[in-house]
Amino acid sequence: MTTRHDNNYSTPVGAPFRPALPVRSLADIRKLEETPLEQALTVRSTYEIFRNAGHAFGGKTALTFLRTGNPADEPIRWSYAELLARIHQTANMLHTLGVGPDDAVAVLLPGCLEYHLALWGGEAAGIVQPLSPLLTDEKLVALMTAGRAKVLIAYGSDSESGMWSKAMRLRGQVPTLTTVLRVAPHDEAPGTAGTLPEGVAEFDVLRAAQPDDRLVSGRDIAPADIAAYFHTGGTTGAPKLARHSHGAQVFTAWASVQVAGMNENGISINGYPLFHVAGVLPASLSSLSAGVEVIIPTPSLLRNKEVLANYWKLVAKYRPTSLSAVPTVLAALANVPLAGADISSITYCRTGAAVLAPELAARFERLFGLHVHESLGMTEMAGISTITPPGVDGPAGCVGFRLPYMQMRVVALDENGNASDREVALGEQGMVLFKSPNVFSGFVDPADNAKAFTADGWLATGDLGWIDSEERLNLTGRSKDLIIRSGHNIDPKTIEDALGAHPAVQLCAAVGAPDAYAGELPVIFATLVPGASATEEELLAFTAERVDEAPAKPKWVSVIETMPMTNVGKIYKPELRAMAARQVVSATVVEVCVSLGLPEAARPVVKTEGETLVRVLIDNAAAGALAASLQERLQKALEPLPFKTRIGAQ
């Protein structure tokens, strides 16, 4: 353990994070807990993580940036020592610009090396605020205003989501903003950016002028100091900023290293966006705290079609030891043939952020020999809550063990669908609650905290699940009605409010329709005012105009005669989800039948059975010689859907 003074970490450097033992059971978690946490984890800030890693690993590659998705192209690499030096320079530049421990630094960047300077240099100087470039100007202004952002670090090109134009439009709309720093796209020739407006400067030019061996501020960061603001709670809703302390983020990194067994021999491809906690904390900070090489696959990350098409070739070249991606990416990769690529370097495959369909898990294992391990993470817990470690294979839906020093409970729901104080038995479903060193420090607006915690201080996740005999958490659904599209949380109320403004609409409700790629896509059902008329196309256009964020725009509107209700008069969304699933399956059935040239009269019947099953009933006599082909093609087409379907004879 290092003895600390108030002279900016002038004492010897500590060690990087290393796993104490292989974790294969809860008994191993408990063995870790035999050492008091204050002895097991002495690192106090994310800055100290990089200071320790920079000195421990020196010239070893920390970050590898792929210019393109072509495996033949040369990447850009930064060593751990170079990363630490640039973090020092970035923090010192921000300090010179007036950023202090209570000031926010907003970040609007694609996948790039400089994102790591903005994140970790931002946290060393003040509070970093990563922003989703998918948000509208209005939402970005609201978030930056709520966070009182003093500096904006933005990408100096419109090639990625029009970021530079957005940054220039934001300049005069955030009262606290004093400076915009332009990050040049990789390989931009010096001096070609042109003259910048007043209050706008080149990120690298200012950074390069700063000392790279220390924090000139002399700041000694405490674990309770706020490190970051992340927007959460459905990014289409009102600004809701979660505060992360340095201690919470450090614990996430340390605990992830312990349970997932990360070490300096690891290499990972981080395709998660860096405005999202999954990309920032479990996939980046945790990896870099242990000496892992982290690969950034182009500015567009895994949205880059060339990267996806060449993914297995990139694996063969860069030899990653782990694969981590949301289920939608896994679904896309399942359609990319190996074509002889050697992927034997991958020893651990993990997913999170959205529900993993059992069919996808089985298909991925069948195609690539990779068992998909699931984890649970949330913004309110600095990105990670439970992990299924290497060597532990669980069924789909099993998200693994709690972290060391964490408490986890599953409690019954009360009559309003909220957490009660009655803990349920093993195997019984309820709402998942946590207490943990990485629970967030609350929202920036105290009013948002009311529903986040129970009366006795447990984090109420809104997730439904059960604990199995090995004390692993298994998820079964959500008590919240958020629609999760590719791990992106969409607040249905935003869609409902938009369509509800139409004069012909009496009631409406948005739900997620199952989708093989995105997991869920937003759709909306509506009933009309008696005597009123409106087409579904008209209602869809009306809604789309009033929903700001592109991922939240509904894919279709369905007008129905009556809205399903509970016995207390609430709209019953499980039935609507089943109806949405039936529509999706029906459309797929039509496509398959058309491809086979099957006449309309011979098409299968599609119907829902309860709230969780869609049946497809084939009339073998009507289908005749095509019956076997029809069943085979339907099986293949419907298998990827994250909703239970069953094909049989009428």
Side-chain angles (χ1 to χ4, degrees), residues 318-331:
Y318 291 99
R319 311 299 293 160
T321 55
S322 64
L323 188 166
S324 181
V326 296
T328 53
V329 170
L330 297 182

Side-chain angles (χ1 to χ4, degrees), residues 263-483:
N263 59 51
E264 61 268 33
N265 298 316
I267 301 172
S268 71
I269 299 176
N270 182 9
Y272 294 106
L274 287 171
F275 60 80
H276 192 279
V277 285
V280 174
L281 299 172
S284 290
L285 185 65
S286 302
S287 298
L288 295 167
S289 74
V292 173
E293 176 187 342
V294 177
I295 299 169
I296 304 169
T298 79
S300 301
L301 305 169
L302 295 181
R303 290 184 295 107
N304 186 324
K305 292 180 180 179
E306 185 184 36
V307 169
L308 276 179
N310 289 326
Y311 193 88
W312 303 121
K313 294 177 184 176
L314 293 169
V315 167
K317 176 176 180 178
Y318 291 99
R319 311 299 293 160
T321 55
S322 64
L323 188 166
S324 181
V326 296
T328 53
V329 170
L330 297 182
L333 290 177
N335 296 322
V336 178
L338 278 177
D342 178 6
I343 65 168
S344 60
S345 62
I346 299 175
T347 58
Y348 184 42
C349 178
R350 193 165 111 189
T351 193
V355 175
L356 175 67
E359 295 84 0
L360 174 58
R363 189 158 80 252
F364 212 79
E365 192 156 2
R366 186 171 66 247
L367 289 171
F368 309 118
L370 296 171
H371 178 81
V372 183
H373 299 71
E374 293 181 72
S375 59
L376 171 65
M378 60 192 74
T379 305
E380 294 88 345
M381 289 186 72
I384 201 68
S385 308
T386 64
I387 296 174
T388 304
V392 177
D393 291 0
C398 176
V399 294
F401 301 111
R402 64 169 177 82
L403 305 182
Y405 308 99
M406 171 187 286
Q407 298 175 69
M408 178 173 70
R409 300 171 66 203
V410 176
V411 300
L413 300 180
D414 64 18
E415 64 277 6
N416 297 314
N418 297 319
S420 72
D421 56 5
R422 181 179 72 81
E423 191 162 349
V424 301
L426 289 181
E428 186 179 343
Q429 179 179 287
M431 185 185 290
V432 184
L433 309 181
F434 289 105
K435 281 186 178 179
S436 176
N438 66 342
V439 167
F440 77 136
S441 303
F443 293 105
V444 168
D445 184 349
D448 291 328
N449 293 323
K451 294 183 178 179
F453 297 94
T454 63
D456 53 350
W458 288 79
L459 180 69
T461 66
D463 290 309
L464 299 178
W466 53 281
I467 298 174
D468 63 25
S469 59
E470 296 181 44
E471 298 195 55
R472 300 175 301 185
L473 179 63
N474 295 258
L475 292 185
T476 54
R478 300 181 304 279
S479 63
K480 305 171 185 176
D481 283 321
L482 289 179
I483 299 163

Side-chain angles (χ1 to χ4, degrees), residues 17-38:
F17 291 156
R18 289 191 170 94
L21 53 89
V23 172
R24 298 293 181 267
S25 68
L26 193 67
D28 296 325
I29 300 279
R30 290 184 174 131
K31 189 170 181 61
L32 289 169
E33 293 170 335
E34 290 175 4
T35 303
L37 179 58
E38 60 270 20

Side-chain angles (χ1 to χ4, degrees), residues 94-353:
L94 293 170
H95 173 69
T96 302
L97 292 171
V99 173
D102 298 325
D103 295 316
V105 178
V107 184
L108 195 64
L109 294 173
C112 60
L113 292 162
E114 289 82 3
Y115 214 132
H116 286 276
L117 305 185
L119 287 169
W120 315 120
E123 291 193 359
I127 300 168
V128 74
Q129 184 183 9
L131 297 168
S132 167
L134 300 175
L135 296 173
T136 61
D137 291 5
E138 181 184 9
K139 294 285 166 54
L140 291 170
V141 168
L143 286 165
M144 291 172 67
T145 301
R148 299 183 58 79
K150 182 172 279 190
V151 172
L152 172 62
I153 300 175
Y155 196 55
S157 166
D158 280 347
S159 62
E160 295 291 330
S161 303
M163 290 189 199
W164 186 242
S165 291
K166 281 186 179 179
M168 292 297 93
R169 292 195 301 269
L170 296 174
R171 282 176 64 215
Q173 300 183 60
V174 181
T176 52
L177 191 65
T178 61
T179 308
V180 176
L181 296 175
R182 178 184 181 271
V183 171
H186 66 276
D187 298 331
E188 178 182 276
T192 59
T195 304
L196 297 177
E198 187 178 348
V200 181
E202 290 287 354
F203 178 90
D204 273 335
V205 172
L206 294 191
R207 177 185 60 78
Q210 295 294 326
D212 65 2
D213 60 344
R214 66 193 187 283
L215 295 181
V216 297
S217 66
R219 184 184 180 197
D220 188 14
I221 304 166
D225 287 355
I226 300 302
Y229 296 148
F230 281 90
H231 52 74
T232 186
T235 53
T236 56
K240 197 174 180 184
L241 289 176
R243 300 180 300 164
H244 285 183
S245 69
H246 276 269
Q249 292 193 348
V250 167
F251 179 83
T252 283
W254 177 85
S256 296
V257 168
Q258 301 308 314
V259 181
M262 299 178 183
N263 59 51
E264 61 268 33
N265 298 316
I267 301 172
S268 71
I269 299 176
N270 182 9
Y272 294 106
L274 287 171
F275 60 80
H276 192 279
V277 285
V280 174
L281 299 172
S284 290
L285 185 65
S286 302
S287 298
L288 295 167
S289 74
V292 173
E293 176 187 342
V294 177
I295 299 169
I296 304 169
T298 79
S300 301
L301 305 169
L302 295 181
R303 290 184 295 107
N304 186 324
K305 292 180 180 179
E306 185 184 36
V307 169
L308 276 179
N310 289 326
Y311 193 88
W312 303 121
K313 294 177 184 176
L314 293 169
V315 167
K317 176 176 180 178
Y318 291 99
R319 311 299 293 160
T321 55
S322 64
L323 188 166
S324 181
V326 296
T328 53
V329 170
L330 297 182
L333 290 177
N335 296 322
V336 178
L338 278 177
D342 178 6
I343 65 168
S344 60
S345 62
I346 299 175
T347 58
Y348 184 42
C349 178
R350 193 165 111 189
T351 193

